[in-house]
Amino acid sequence: MKRIFIDGSAGTTGLRIRERLAAREDIALVTLEGDSRKDPAARRDMLNAGCDIAFLCLPDDAAREAVAMLENPRVVVLDTSTAHRTDPRFVYGFPELNASLRRAVPDAKRIAVPGCHASGFIALVYPLVEAGLISNGTPLTCFSLTGYSGGGKKMIGEYEADEPNPLYAGPRQYGLTQNHKHLREMVYLTGLTTKPVFCPIVADFYSGMEVTVPLFAADLRGTVDDIRAVYAQKYTGPIVRYAENTDENGFMSAAAFTGLDSMEITVAGSDERILLVARYDNLGKGASGAAVECLNLVLGVDETTGLAL
């Protein structure tokens, strides 16, 4: 039975991973108690001798520190931070993207769990670049709506305070300097040569995510039906799936997949002005669900084990 350690288990992502794993009988969760959770010597010992697989649910610098502590080559690391998503030593944990990742994740010792906003953008854009439907130099825009849990404990506390800031009642755009930390990952995985104009927006609901990439037909080497065909062939489930006509009477809710670990890909718009849309939970396929999916592949069990689909 594999021993699983969650370094940073008190954070939002760590807590959700623990919830997904708590009832499982095929693994053993191991923990550090009290002050030892932040003791470097105790963490080093746990990472090298106390576990077989470690989730890093830490800020970027702390995740780099944890990786530097590792001396045991047999320990598998699944890093949920931004720190290693463009590091060639790490396998990107999105097996649905291509056969190479599908083969690599189960045998990897270092896995970078994808970012929340980035997951939707990459799922939408990578197949089109891969199929030659758009060039890697195509200038793109991305709008992404997320629930406030994506901001971690601090933002959750701000939104759920007894007297929250009145400005929080409406959607709030951020990443205004166009230097959002997910941009490197979005470009690195898709092969784009130009960073997209990225507009992330946080709103007053707990969790859920809707990523939209608009596309002009003039930028497309094909038709909108070609896009649908590419998605339908690549995303057949059980976790990521393509679906048509998924709107709710002309609306699309960013909270439609709250509490789930799956992702839905769809195409809207017209033949001239196309909307590529991915919907999922920022805490599900956008974070903890993706991490558990990668764990399942490493363990050699069904990838959906313990997931809510």
Side-chain angles (χ1 to χ4, degrees):
M1 182 177 292
K2 297 294 185 181
R3 299 165 298 167
I4 312 296
F5 172 54
I6 305 173
D7 195 1
S9 59
T12 306
T13 300
L15 287 170
R16 182 64 69 93
I17 290 174
R18 179 173 290 279
E19 289 174 5
R20 294 287 188 263
L21 300 182
R24 290 178 58 165
E25 298 180 352
D26 60 328
I27 60 171
L29 286 172
V30 293
T31 61
L32 290 173
E33 302 296 338
D35 293 340
S36 63
R37 291 188 299 110
K38 297 184 179 181
D39 179 4
R43 289 176 60 225
R44 181 186 295 273
D45 184 62
M46 175 62 80
L47 288 167
N48 286 286
C51 70
D52 301 296
I53 302 171
F55 288 98
L56 305 183
C57 303
L58 303 164
D60 288 1
D61 287 344
R64 294 187 186 97
E65 178 186 70
V67 170
M69 291 179 179
L70 282 160
E71 299 170 351
N72 185 343
R74 294 185 298 276
V75 174
V76 176
V77 173
L78 297 102
D79 182 10
T80 69
S81 81
T82 309
H84 298 103
R85 290 176 186 154
T86 60
D87 187 329
R89 299 173 300 170
F90 280 68
V91 172
Y92 195 70
F94 203 132
E96 293 87 359
L97 286 183
N98 57 49
S100 177
L101 288 176
R102 173 68 67 179
R103 290 190 300 268
V105 171
D107 297 324
K109 297 299 183 184
R110 302 287 182 268
I111 299 170
V113 179
C116 54
H117 295 288
S119 290
F121 179 83
I122 292 166
L124 294 169
V125 174
Y126 175 87
L128 306 190
V129 176
E130 179 189 41
L133 288 177
I134 60 173
S135 75
N136 61 359
T138 304
L140 295 173
T141 300
C142 176
F143 295 89
S144 186
L145 300 170
T146 183
Y148 58 78
S149 59
K153 281 189 171 182
K154 181 176 184 294
M155 185 173 286
I156 292 171
E158 292 170 346
Y159 271 88
E160 297 184 352
D162 291 338
E163 296 183 12
N165 189 321
L167 294 177
Y168 293 6
R172 295 189 298 153
Q173 185 171 327
Y174 62 105
L176 301 177
T177 63
Q178 289 301 299
N179 288 314
H180 194 284
K181 63 182 182 178
H182 283 186
L183 281 167
R184 286 184 60 196
E185 176 184 356
M186 292 156 73
V187 170
Y188 180 79
L189 268 296
T190 57
L192 293 175
T193 58
T194 302
K195 293 178 180 177
V197 176
F198 180 38
C199 306
I201 300 165
V202 61
D204 189 13
F205 62 102
Y206 183 74
S207 70
M209 182 160 276
E210 181 177 336
V211 176
T212 301
V213 177
L215 189 65
F216 283 107
D219 293 322
L220 183 62
R221 298 169 175 172
T223 68
V224 66
D225 286 334
D226 293 327
I227 296 176
R228 293 188 175 104
V230 166
Y231 287 160
Q233 182 177 15
K234 182 176 286 287
Y235 299 130
T236 58
I239 295 174
V240 183
R241 56 186 177 271
Y242 172 72
E244 296 187 22
N245 303 318
T246 62
D247 66 287
E248 299 100 20
N249 297 316
F251 294 87
M252 293 191 77
S253 171
F257 283 73
T258 296
L260 301 179
D261 296 308
S262 52
M263 174 186 285
E264 175 190 84
I265 302 294
T266 194
V267 180
S270 66
D271 289 341
E272 293 78 29
R273 298 182 306 282
I274 304 159
L275 298 177
L276 314 175
V277 184
R279 293 197 292 178
Y280 49 107
D281 190 337
N282 58 287
L283 295 180
K285 183 58 172 168
S288 305
V292 173
E293 177 188 358
C294 290
L295 170 68
N296 289 335
L297 291 172
V298 169
L299 293 174
V301 301
D302 187 289
E303 65 192 290
T304 66
T305 302
L307 298 182
L309 304 177

